Amino acid sequence: MKKRKRWAAALLTAATLVLAVLAGTTAANWLLPRDYDSLDSTGQSVLAELERFCAAGAGQPLWPGFELERAPLLLVDGRLGSAYLVNPERPPESLFAVEIQMPEGSPLRVYRVALPGSLGVRIAAGDFNTVGKPFRCLGGEVYFLRYQRERSLEQPYSSGHFITLLAHEAFHYYMQNNWPGGGRFAGELSEGDVDLLERQYEILSQISLELEKRAPSRQNLLDQARDYVAAVEARIEANPGYLRQELAMETAEGTAQYVGILASERVGYDFGVMYFDNVKSVPFDQVIPTLRAGKIEASFLADRMPYETGAPLCQLMEALELPGWREELNGQSPAAPRTLFQVLRDRVEQEA
C-alpha cells in the first residue's frame, strides 16, 4: 500500500511539474517581445530567407500546382527551440499563439507558438511531414519542418539548407501523393550494366556542360538528349527489373531535387546538381571511375544517383522548352504511371 502511495505521489509531482512548465512557456510566449527584431538570430534568418523566397516568386510557382508561398508552415528550431506558425489559413484563436510584427511589406504572417500548442510536432518522429502523414497545429493543417542553425543556414552547397530542404520535402508531400512510389530499392548490376551506366553518365556530363553555357545550343541539347535516350534504353533492355525501380526513384527524387534547386536560386543559395558533402558540381563522368577505384560503394548508385540524374533531365526539358512535361507528371497515378525518362523520350521522338 505504501509503495502504491509513493508511486501516486511521484506521478502527481511529475504531472504538476509538466503542467507548470507548459503554463510557464505559455506565459513567457505572451510576455516576450513580439516584433521580428527581438526574435533569436536563427529564427530571424530562417524567416528572412522565406521572405526572400516568397518575394522572388512574383506569383510564379516553382512547379504547376505547387504553391509553397501559400502553404501553412510550422517551423521548429530543433525539438525545444522556438516554433513559428507561418501563413495559417486563418488566424489562430489560441492562448498558445501570439502574432509577430514582421517588417513592413513582409508577405509572411507569423505567430510564435508556445510549447503546448506545438507539442505534437515536437515529439513527432522525423524532421518534416512525409507523404500521407498530415499534422495539425492550433486547429489547422500545417507542413512542419525542423531546422537548426548549422545544418539549415551555415553549411555550403548543402541539400539540408533551409529553403532547399523545405522545397524538396514539401514537394513530395503536396505534389506526389498520387505518384506511384519511387523509393529506395535494391538490385545488382553486372559489369556490363556498369559499362552501360558509364556511357549514360558521360552523356549527362555533356548535357550538364551545355546547360551551363550562357546561351546553350538547342540543337546540341536535342542531339545529346537523343544519345541519352538510346543509352538508357540499352540499359532497360539489359536489366529491366533494376531500371524499373531506378527510373521510378529518379522521377520522385529527381523532380524534388530540381524544385529544391529552383528554390535555392530564388534566395541566392548555391545548390545544384551533383553537390555532395559540401563539394559542388562533381562531374557525372567521374562517378564510375571513382566506383572502380573503390572510393565509393556500389550502393551509392541506387541510394543517391537517381536524385542527381533526375534533376538535369528536368533542366534539359526546361531548356528545350518541351511542352507539358510537368503537367504530364502531375497527372500520373498508380494505375497510369509515368517516369521522367518516358516523358523525355516521348518528347524527343516528337522533335524528330
Side-chain angles (χ1 to χ4, degrees), residues 11 17 22 29 41 45 54 66-67 81 109-110 120 124 128 139 159 187 206 216 232 244 252 257 270 282-283 285 304:
L11 288 173
L17 288 173
L22 296 179
N29 194 40
S41 60
S45 297
C54 293
F66 181 49
E67 296 183 335
R109 291 174 292 112
V110 180
F128 43 78
S159 62
Q206 297 168 11
V232 175
R244 187 179 306 111
Q257 191 84 336
D270 189 356
V282 177
D285 58 11
R304 183 56 194 267

Side-chain angles (χ1 to χ4, degrees), residues 78-94:
R79 290 283 175 182
L80 298 175
S82 302
Y84 301 105
L85 177 62
V86 181
N87 292 343
E89 291 183 358
R90 58 184 63 86
E93 298 179 359
S94 172

